[in-house]
Coordinates of all heavy atoms in Angstrom, one line a residue:
M1 N -2.9 -11.9 61.5 CA -1.9 -12.8 62.1 C -1.8 -14.1 61.5 O -2.9 -14.7 61.0 CB -2.5 -13.0 63.6 CG -1.6 -14.0 64.3 SD -2.3 -14.4 66.0 CE -1.3 -13.5 67.0
V2 N -0.7 -14.6 61.3 CA -0.5 -15.9 60.6 C 0.1 -16.9 61.6 O 1.0 -16.7 62.3 CB 0.6 -15.7 59.5 CG1 0.9 -16.9 58.8 CG2 0.2 -14.6 58.5
A3 N -0.5 -18.1 61.6 CA 0.0 -19.1 62.5 C 0.3 -20.3 61.7 O -0.4 -20.6 60.6 CB -1.1 -19.5 63.6
G4 N 1.1 -21.2 62.2 CA 1.4 -22.4 61.4 C 2.4 -23.4 62.1 O 2.9 -22.9 63.2
C5 N 2.5 -24.5 61.8 CA 3.5 -25.5 62.5 C 4.9 -25.4 61.6 O 4.8 -25.3 60.3 CB 3.0 -26.8 62.4 SG 1.5 -27.1 63.3
A6 N 5.9 -25.3 62.4 CA 7.2 -25.4 61.7 C 7.6 -27.0 61.6 O 7.5 -27.5 62.7 CB 8.2 -24.6 62.4
S7 N 8.1 -27.3 60.6 CA 8.5 -28.7 60.5 C 9.7 -28.7 59.7 O 10.1 -27.8 58.9 CB 7.4 -29.6 60.0 OG 7.2 -29.2 58.6
V8 N 10.5 -29.7 60.0 CA 11.8 -29.9 59.1 C 11.5 -30.9 58.1 O 10.9 -32.0 58.3 CB 12.9 -30.5 60.1 CG1 14.1 -30.8 59.4 CG2 13.1 -29.6 61.3
P9 N 11.8 -30.6 56.8 CA 11.5 -31.4 55.8 C 12.3 -32.8 55.9 O 13.5 -32.7 56.5 CB 11.8 -30.7 54.4 CG 12.7 -29.6 54.9 CD 12.4 -29.3 56.4
P10 N 11.8 -33.9 55.5 CA 12.6 -35.1 55.6 C 13.8 -35.0 54.6 O 13.8 -34.3 53.7 CB 11.6 -36.1 55.1 CG 10.6 -35.5 54.3 CD 10.4 -34.1 55.0
A11 N 14.8 -35.7 55.0 CA 16.0 -35.8 54.2 C 15.8 -36.2 52.8 O 16.3 -35.8 51.7 CB 17.2 -36.7 54.8
T12 N 15.0 -37.2 52.7 CA 14.5 -37.8 51.4 C 13.0 -38.0 51.5 O 12.5 -38.4 52.5 CB 15.1 -39.1 51.0 OG1 14.9 -40.1 51.9 CG2 16.8 -38.9 50.8
L13 N 12.3 -37.9 50.4 CA 10.8 -38.2 50.3 C 10.6 -39.7 50.5 O 11.4 -40.5 49.8 CB 10.3 -37.7 49.1 CG 10.4 -36.1 48.9 CD1 9.9 -35.7 47.6 CD2 9.6 -35.4 50.0
P14 N 9.6 -40.1 51.2 CA 9.2 -41.5 51.3 C 9.1 -42.1 49.8 O 8.3 -41.5 49.0 CB 8.0 -41.5 52.0 CG 7.9 -40.2 52.8 CD 8.6 -39.3 52.0
G15 N 9.6 -43.3 49.6 CA 9.6 -43.9 48.3 C 10.4 -43.3 47.2 O 10.5 -43.8 46.2
A16 N 11.2 -42.2 47.5 CA 12.1 -41.7 46.6 C 13.4 -42.6 46.5 O 13.8 -43.0 47.6 CB 12.5 -40.3 46.9
P17 N 14.0 -42.8 45.4 CA 15.2 -43.6 45.3 C 16.4 -42.9 46.1 O 16.5 -41.6 46.2 CB 15.6 -43.7 43.8 CG 14.9 -42.5 43.2 CD 13.6 -42.2 44.0
E18 N 17.3 -43.7 46.8 CA 18.5 -43.2 47.5 C 19.4 -42.5 46.4 O 19.5 -43.0 45.4 CB 19.1 -44.1 48.2 CG 18.2 -44.8 49.4 CD 19.1 -45.8 50.2 OE1 20.4 -45.6 50.1 OE2 18.5 -46.5 50.9
P19 N 20.0 -41.4 46.8 CA 21.0 -40.8 45.9 C 22.1 -41.9 45.7 O 22.5 -42.6 46.6 CB 21.5 -39.5 46.5 CG 21.1 -39.7 48.1 CD 19.9 -40.7 48.1
P20 N 22.7 -41.8 44.6 CA 24.0 -42.9 44.4 C 25.0 -42.5 45.2 O 25.4 -41.4 45.6 CB 24.3 -42.6 42.9 CG 23.7 -41.2 42.4 CD 22.6 -41.0 43.4
R21 N 25.7 -43.6 45.8 CA 26.8 -43.5 46.6 C 28.1 -43.2 45.8 O 28.1 -43.6 44.6 CB 26.9 -44.8 47.4 CG 26.0 -44.9 48.4 CD 25.8 -46.2 49.1 NE 27.2 -46.7 49.6 CZ 27.4 -48.0 49.9 NH1 26.5 -48.9 49.8 NH2 28.5 -48.4 50.2
P22 N 29.0 -42.5 46.3 CA 30.3 -42.4 45.6 C 30.9 -43.7 45.1 O 30.8 -44.7 45.9 CB 31.3 -41.7 46.6 CG 30.3 -41.1 47.6 CD 29.2 -42.0 47.6
Q23 N 31.4 -43.8 44.0 CA 31.9 -45.0 43.5 C 33.5 -45.3 43.7 O 34.2 -44.2 43.6 CB 31.8 -45.2 42.1 CG 30.3 -45.2 41.6 CD 29.6 -46.6 41.9 OE1 30.2 -47.6 41.4 NE2 28.6 -46.7 42.5
A24 N 34.0 -46.4 43.9 CA 35.3 -46.7 44.0 C 35.7 -47.7 42.9 O 34.7 -48.3 42.4 CB 35.8 -47.4 45.3
P25 N 36.9 -47.8 42.4 CA 37.2 -48.6 41.2 C 37.0 -50.1 41.7 O 37.2 -50.6 42.9 CB 38.7 -48.5 40.9 CG 39.2 -47.6 42.0 CD 38.1 -47.1 42.9
P26 N 36.4 -51.0 40.9 CA 36.2 -52.4 41.1 C 37.5 -53.2 41.3 O 38.5 -52.9 40.9 CB 35.4 -53.0 40.0 CG 35.6 -52.0 38.9 CD 36.0 -50.7 39.5
T27 N 37.3 -54.3 42.0 CA 38.5 -55.2 42.1 C 38.9 -55.9 40.8 O 37.9 -56.4 40.2 CB 38.2 -56.3 43.2 OG1 37.8 -55.6 44.4 CG2 39.3 -57.3 43.4
T28 N 40.1 -56.0 40.5 CA 40.5 -56.7 39.2 C 41.6 -57.7 39.6 O 42.1 -58.4 38.7 CB 41.1 -55.6 38.2 OG1 42.1 -55.0 38.8 CG2 40.0 -54.7 37.8
S29 N 41.9 -57.8 40.8 CA 42.9 -58.8 41.3 C 42.5 -60.2 41.0 O 41.3 -60.6 41.2 CB 43.2 -58.6 42.7 OG 44.0 -59.6 43.3
A30 N 43.4 -61.1 40.6 CA 43.2 -62.4 40.4 C 43.0 -63.2 41.7 O 42.4 -64.3 41.7 CB 44.2 -63.1 39.6
N31 N 43.5 -62.7 42.9 CA 43.2 -63.2 44.1 C 42.9 -62.1 45.2 O 43.7 -61.8 45.9 CB 44.6 -63.9 44.5 CG 44.5 -64.9 45.8 OD1 43.3 -65.2 46.0 ND2 45.5 -65.2 46.4
P32 N 41.6 -61.7 45.1 CA 41.2 -60.6 46.0 C 41.2 -61.0 47.4 O 40.9 -62.2 47.7 CB 39.8 -60.3 45.5 CG 39.3 -61.6 44.7 CD 40.6 -62.1 44.2
A33 N 41.5 -60.1 48.3 CA 41.5 -60.3 49.7 C 40.1 -60.6 50.2 O 39.2 -60.0 49.7 CB 42.1 -59.3 50.4
A34 N 39.9 -61.5 51.2 CA 38.7 -61.8 51.8 C 38.9 -62.3 53.1 O 39.9 -62.9 53.5 CB 37.9 -62.9 50.9
Q35 N 37.9 -62.0 54.0 CA 38.1 -62.5 55.5 C 37.8 -64.0 55.6 O 37.9 -64.4 56.7 CB 37.1 -61.7 56.2 CG 37.4 -60.1 56.2 CD 38.7 -59.8 57.0 OE1 39.2 -60.5 57.9 NE2 39.5 -58.8 56.5
I36 N 37.1 -64.5 54.6 CA 36.8 -66.0 54.7 C 37.5 -66.7 53.4 O 37.8 -66.1 52.5 CB 35.3 -66.2 54.6 CG1 34.8 -65.7 53.3 CG2 34.7 -65.6 55.8 CD1 33.3 -66.3 53.1
N37 N 37.6 -68.0 53.5 CA 38.2 -68.9 52.4 C 37.3 -68.9 51.3 O 36.2 -69.6 51.4 CB 38.6 -70.2 53.0 CG 39.3 -71.0 52.0 OD1 39.6 -70.6 50.9 ND2 39.6 -72.3 52.3
L38 N 37.7 -68.4 50.1 CA 36.8 -68.4 48.9 C 37.5 -69.4 48.0 O 37.1 -69.3 46.7 CB 36.6 -67.0 48.3 CG 35.7 -66.1 49.2 CD1 35.8 -64.8 48.5 CD2 34.4 -66.6 49.5
Q39 N 38.4 -70.2 48.3 CA 39.2 -71.0 47.4 C 38.1 -72.0 46.9 O 37.2 -72.5 47.6 CB 40.2 -71.9 48.2 CG 41.1 -72.8 47.4 CD 42.1 -73.4 48.0 OE1 42.2 -73.2 49.3 NE2 42.9 -74.3 47.5
G40 N 38.2 -72.2 45.6 CA 37.2 -73.1 45.0 C 36.1 -72.5 44.2 O 35.3 -72.9 43.5
F41 N 35.8 -71.1 44.6 CA 34.8 -70.3 44.0 C 35.4 -69.8 42.7 O 36.6 -69.4 42.7 CB 34.3 -69.2 44.9 CG 33.5 -69.6 46.0 CD1 33.9 -70.1 47.2 CD2 32.1 -69.7 45.7 CE1 33.1 -70.5 48.2 CE2 31.2 -70.1 46.8 CZ 31.8 -70.5 48.0
P42 N 34.5 -69.5 41.7 CA 35.1 -68.9 40.5 C 35.6 -67.4 40.7 O 35.1 -66.8 41.5 CB 34.0 -68.9 39.5 CG 32.8 -69.3 40.2 CD 33.2 -69.9 41.6
L43 N 36.6 -67.0 39.8 CA 37.2 -65.7 40.0 C 36.0 -64.6 40.0 O 36.2 -63.7 40.8 CB 38.3 -65.5 38.9 CG 38.9 -64.1 38.9 CD1 39.6 -63.8 40.1 CD2 39.9 -64.0 37.7
P44 N 35.0 -64.7 39.1 CA 34.1 -63.6 39.0 C 33.4 -63.5 40.4 O 33.2 -62.4 40.9 CB 33.1 -63.8 38.0 CG 34.0 -64.7 37.1 CD 34.9 -65.5 37.9
Y45 N 33.1 -64.6 40.9 CA 32.5 -64.6 42.3 C 33.2 -63.9 43.4 O 32.9 -63.2 44.2 CB 32.1 -66.0 42.8 CG 31.4 -66.1 44.1 CD1 30.1 -66.0 44.2 CD2 32.1 -66.2 45.3 CE1 29.4 -66.1 45.4 CE2 31.5 -66.2 46.5 CZ 30.2 -66.1 46.6 OH 29.5 -66.2 47.8
R46 N 34.6 -64.3 43.4 CA 35.5 -63.9 44.4 C 35.7 -62.4 44.3 O 35.8 -61.6 45.3 CB 36.9 -64.5 44.3 CG 36.8 -66.0 44.7 CD 38.2 -66.7 44.9 NE 39.2 -66.3 43.9 CZ 39.6 -67.1 42.8 NH1 39.0 -68.2 42.6 NH2 40.5 -66.6 42.0
Q47 N 35.8 -61.9 43.0 CA 36.0 -60.4 42.8 C 34.7 -59.7 43.2 O 34.7 -58.5 43.9 CB 36.3 -60.2 41.3 CG 37.8 -60.5 41.0 CD 38.0 -60.4 39.6 OE1 37.1 -60.5 38.6 NE2 39.3 -60.3 39.2
G48 N 33.6 -60.3 43.0 CA 32.2 -59.6 43.4 C 32.1 -59.6 44.8 O 31.7 -58.7 45.4
Y49 N 32.5 -60.7 45.5 CA 32.5 -60.9 46.9 C 33.4 -59.7 47.5 O 32.9 -59.0 48.5 CB 33.0 -62.2 47.4 CG 32.9 -62.4 48.9 CD1 31.8 -63.0 49.4 CD2 34.0 -61.9 49.8 CE1 31.7 -63.2 50.8 CE2 33.8 -62.0 51.2 CZ 32.7 -62.7 51.7 OH 32.5 -62.9 53.0
A50 N 34.6 -59.5 47.0 CA 35.5 -58.6 47.6 C 34.9 -57.1 47.4 O 35.0 -56.3 48.3 CB 36.9 -58.7 46.9
D51 N 34.3 -56.8 46.1 CA 33.7 -55.6 45.9 C 32.5 -55.3 46.9 O 32.4 -54.2 47.4 CB 33.3 -55.4 44.4 CG 34.5 -55.2 43.5 OD1 35.6 -54.9 44.1 OD2 34.3 -55.3 42.4
G52 N 31.6 -56.3 47.0 CA 30.5 -56.2 47.9 C 30.9 -55.9 49.2 O 30.4 -55.0 50.0
C53 N 32.0 -56.7 49.7 CA 32.4 -56.5 51.1 C 33.0 -55.0 51.3 O 32.7 -54.4 52.3 CB 33.4 -57.5 51.4 SG 33.8 -57.6 53.2
A54 N 33.6 -54.6 50.3 CA 34.3 -53.3 50.4 C 33.3 -52.1 50.4 O 33.5 -51.0 50.7 CB 35.3 -53.1 49.3
S55 N 32.1 -52.4 49.8 CA 31.0 -51.5 49.7 C 30.1 -51.2 50.9 O 29.2 -50.5 50.9 CB 30.1 -52.0 48.6 OG 30.7 -52.0 47.4
T56 N 30.4 -51.9 52.0 CA 29.8 -51.6 53.3 C 30.1 -50.3 53.9 O 29.4 -49.8 54.8 CB 30.0 -52.7 54.3 OG1 31.4 -52.9 54.6 CG2 29.6 -54.1 53.7
G57 N 31.2 -49.6 53.4 CA 31.6 -48.4 54.0 C 30.9 -47.2 53.3 O 29.8 -47.3 52.7
T58 N 31.6 -46.1 53.1 CA 31.1 -44.9 52.5 C 31.1 -45.0 50.9 O 30.3 -44.3 50.2 CB 31.7 -43.6 53.0 OG1 33.1 -43.8 52.7 CG2 31.5 -43.5 54.5
L59 N 32.0 -45.8 50.5 CA 32.1 -45.9 49.0 C 31.5 -47.1 48.5 O 31.7 -48.1 49.1 CB 33.7 -45.8 48.5 CG 34.3 -44.5 48.7 CD1 35.8 -44.7 48.3 CD2 33.7 -43.4 48.0
E60 N 30.9 -47.2 47.3 CA 30.4 -48.3 46.7 C 31.3 -48.8 45.7 O 31.8 -48.1 44.8 CB 29.1 -48.1 46.1 CG 28.4 -49.3 45.5 CD 27.0 -49.2 45.1 OE1 26.9 -48.7 43.9 OE2 26.1 -49.5 45.8
Q61 N 31.8 -50.0 45.9 CA 32.9 -50.5 44.9 C 32.1 -51.6 44.1 O 31.6 -52.7 44.6 CB 34.0 -51.1 45.8 CG 35.1 -51.6 44.9 CD 36.3 -51.9 45.7 OE1 36.6 -51.2 46.7 NE2 37.1 -52.9 45.3
K62 N 31.8 -51.4 42.8 CA 31.1 -52.2 41.9 C 31.5 -52.0 40.5 O 31.6 -50.8 40.1 CB 29.6 -51.9 42.2 CG 28.7 -52.9 41.5 CD 27.1 -52.4 41.5 CE 26.6 -52.5 42.8 NZ 25.2 -52.1 42.9
D63 N 31.6 -53.0 39.8 CA 31.7 -52.9 38.3 C 30.3 -53.0 37.7 O 29.7 -54.0 37.7 CB 32.6 -54.0 37.8 CG 32.9 -53.9 36.3 OD1 32.0 -53.4 35.5 OD2 33.9 -54.4 36.0
A64 N 29.7 -51.9 37.4 CA 28.3 -51.8 37.0 C 28.0 -52.7 35.7 O 27.0 -53.3 35.7 CB 27.9 -50.4 36.7
V65 N 29.0 -52.7 34.8 CA 28.6 -53.5 33.6 C 28.7 -54.9 34.0 O 27.7 -55.8 33.6 CB 29.7 -53.2 32.6 CG1 29.6 -54.2 31.3 CG2 29.6 -51.9 32.1
R66 N 29.6 -55.4 34.8 CA 29.7 -56.9 35.1 C 28.5 -57.2 36.1 O 28.0 -58.3 36.0 CB 31.0 -57.2 35.9 CG 32.1 -57.2 34.9 CD 33.5 -57.5 35.7 NE 33.5 -58.9 36.1 CZ 34.4 -59.3 37.0 NH1 35.3 -58.7 37.5 NH2 34.4 -60.7 37.5
F67 N 28.2 -56.3 36.9 CA 27.1 -56.5 37.9 C 25.8 -56.8 37.1 O 25.0 -57.7 37.5 CB 26.9 -55.2 38.9 CG 25.9 -55.5 39.9 CD1 26.3 -56.1 41.0 CD2 24.6 -55.2 39.7 CE1 25.5 -56.4 42.0 CE2 23.6 -55.4 40.7 CZ 24.1 -56.0 42.0
K68 N 25.6 -56.2 35.9 CA 24.5 -56.4 35.2 C 24.4 -57.6 34.3 O 23.5 -58.3 34.1 CB 24.0 -55.3 34.2 CG 23.7 -54.0 35.0 CD 23.3 -52.8 33.9 CE 23.0 -51.7 34.6 NZ 22.7 -50.5 33.7
S69 N 25.8 -58.0 33.8 CA 25.7 -59.0 32.9 C 26.3 -60.4 33.4 O 26.3 -61.4 32.8 CB 26.7 -58.6 31.7 OG 28.0 -58.3 32.1
D70 N 27.0 -60.4 34.6 CA 27.8 -61.5 35.1 C 27.1 -62.1 36.3 O 27.2 -61.4 37.5 CB 29.3 -61.2 35.2 CG 30.1 -62.4 35.7 OD1 29.5 -63.5 36.1 OD2 31.3 -62.3 35.5
G71 N 26.4 -63.0 36.3 CA 25.7 -63.6 37.5 C 26.5 -64.1 38.6 O 26.1 -63.8 39.7
Q72 N 27.7 -64.5 38.3 CA 28.7 -64.9 39.4 C 29.2 -63.7 40.1 O 29.2 -63.8 41.3 CB 29.8 -65.8 38.8 CG 29.3 -67.1 38.3 CD 30.5 -68.0 37.7 OE1 31.7 -67.4 37.6 NE2 30.2 -69.2 37.5
Y73 N 29.6 -62.7 39.4 CA 30.0 -61.4 40.0 C 28.9 -60.9 40.9 O 29.2 -60.4 42.0 CB 30.4 -60.5 38.9 CG 30.9 -59.1 39.5 CD1 32.3 -59.0 40.0 CD2 30.0 -58.0 39.7 CE1 32.7 -57.7 40.5 CE2 30.4 -56.8 40.1 CZ 31.8 -56.6 40.6 OH 32.1 -55.6 41.0
R74 N 27.7 -60.8 40.3 CA 26.5 -60.2 41.1 C 26.3 -60.9 42.3 O 26.1 -60.4 43.3 CB 25.3 -60.2 40.1 CG 24.2 -59.5 40.7 CD 23.0 -59.3 39.7 NE 22.7 -60.5 38.9 CZ 23.0 -60.6 37.6 NH1 23.6 -59.7 36.9 NH2 22.8 -61.7 36.8
T75 N 26.3 -62.4 42.2 CA 25.9 -63.1 43.4 C 27.1 -62.9 44.4 O 26.8 -62.8 45.6 CB 25.9 -64.6 43.0 OG1 24.8 -64.7 42.1 CG2 25.6 -65.5 44.2
G76 N 28.3 -62.9 44.0 CA 29.5 -62.7 44.9 C 29.3 -61.3 45.7 O 29.6 -61.1 46.7
W77 N 29.0 -60.4 44.9 CA 28.8 -59.0 45.4 C 27.8 -58.9 46.4 O 28.0 -58.4 47.5 CB 28.4 -58.0 44.3 CG 28.5 -56.6 44.7 CD1 29.6 -55.7 44.5 CD2 27.7 -55.8 45.4 NE1 29.4 -54.4 45.0 CE2 28.1 -54.4 45.6 CE3 26.4 -56.0 45.9 CZ2 27.6 -53.4 46.2 CZ3 25.6 -54.9 46.5 CH2 26.2 -53.7 46.6
F78 N 26.6 -59.5 46.2 CA 25.5 -59.4 47.2 C 25.9 -60.4 48.5 O 25.6 -59.9 49.6 CB 24.1 -60.2 46.7 CG 23.3 -59.1 45.8 CD1 23.1 -59.4 44.4 CD2 23.0 -57.9 46.3 CE1 22.3 -58.6 43.7 CE2 22.2 -57.1 45.5 CZ 21.9 -57.4 44.3
D79 N 26.6 -61.3 48.2 CA 27.0 -62.3 49.4 C 28.0 -61.5 50.2 O 27.9 -61.4 51.5 CB 27.6 -63.6 48.9 CG 26.6 -64.6 48.4 OD1 25.4 -64.3 48.5 OD2 26.9 -65.6 47.7
G80 N 29.0 -60.9 49.6 CA 30.0 -60.2 50.3 C 29.4 -59.0 50.9 O 29.8 -58.8 52.2
N81 N 28.5 -58.3 50.3 CA 28.0 -57.1 51.0 C 27.1 -57.5 52.3 O 27.2 -56.9 53.3 CB 27.1 -56.4 50.0 CG 26.6 -55.1 50.4 OD1 25.5 -54.9 50.9 ND2 27.5 -54.1 50.3
A82 N 26.3 -58.5 52.1 CA 25.5 -59.0 53.2 C 26.3 -59.5 54.4 O 26.1 -59.2 55.6 CB 24.5 -60.1 52.7
L83 N 27.3 -60.4 54.1 CA 28.0 -61.0 55.2 C 29.0 -60.0 55.8 O 29.2 -60.0 57.0 CB 28.9 -62.1 54.6 CG 28.1 -63.4 54.3 CD1 29.0 -64.4 53.6 CD2 27.4 -64.0 55.4
C84 N 29.5 -59.0 55.1 CA 30.4 -57.9 55.7 C 29.6 -57.0 56.5 O 30.1 -56.4 57.5 CB 31.3 -57.3 54.7 SG 32.6 -58.5 54.1
K85 N 28.3 -56.7 56.2 CA 27.5 -55.8 57.0 C 27.2 -56.4 58.3 O 27.0 -55.6 59.3 CB 26.2 -55.5 56.2 CG 26.2 -54.5 55.2 CD 24.8 -54.2 54.5 CE 25.0 -53.3 53.5 NZ 23.6 -52.9 52.9
K86 N 27.1 -57.7 58.4 CA 26.9 -58.3 59.7 C 28.0 -58.2 60.7 O 27.8 -58.3 61.8 CB 26.5 -59.8 59.5 CG 25.2 -59.9 58.7 CD 24.9 -61.4 58.7 CE 23.6 -61.7 58.0 NZ 23.2 -63.0 57.9
R87 N 29.2 -57.9 60.3 CA 30.4 -57.9 61.1 C 30.5 -56.5 61.7 O 30.3 -55.5 61.5 CB 31.6 -58.1 60.3 CG 31.7 -59.5 59.8 CD 33.0 -59.8 59.2 NE 32.9 -61.1 58.5 CZ 33.8 -61.5 57.6 NH1 34.8 -60.8 57.2 NH2 33.6 -62.7 57.2

């Protein structure tokens, strides 16, 4: 006779990295749409903000090269993502 506990394996292992989210093309507009006034901020920040805000859904919108190399784009992306998640 064999006995044991049946368990459901976790969706991801603890400590394992999350699988990458599907990617959408990054914002290239000179005047990206935003729910707040970003007038006075540099263009890379505004584009990063728009991409970060758009990434709160199922698709991640990010320019990976700019995210690694452009501090203004990266900061805007993090700010837009954080603020739009709160809404």
Side-chain angles (χ1 to χ4, degrees):
M1 175 187 255
V2 177
C5 293
S7 64
V8 176
T12 59
L13 298 174
E18 292 184 25
R21 291 171 44 195
Q23 295 282 314
T27 300
T28 57
S29 170
N31 193 17
Q35 298 293 328
I36 64 169
N37 182 2
L38 296 176
Q39 185 176 358
F41 285 89
L43 178 61
Y45 179 91
R46 294 192 319 259
Q47 289 174 332
Y49 185 97
D51 286 348
C53 191
S55 295
T56 59
T58 58
L59 293 177
E60 184 173 82
Q61 189 165 323
K62 183 190 296 182
D63 183 332
V65 174
R66 285 180 72 192
F67 189 83
K68 288 180 181 179
S69 65
D70 187 340
Q72 291 181 349
Y73 177 85
R74 184 174 45 255
T75 300
W77 193 95
F78 279 125
D79 289 351
N81 190 262
L83 291 173
C84 289
K85 277 184 181 177
K86 290 181 180 181
R87 291 185 189 165

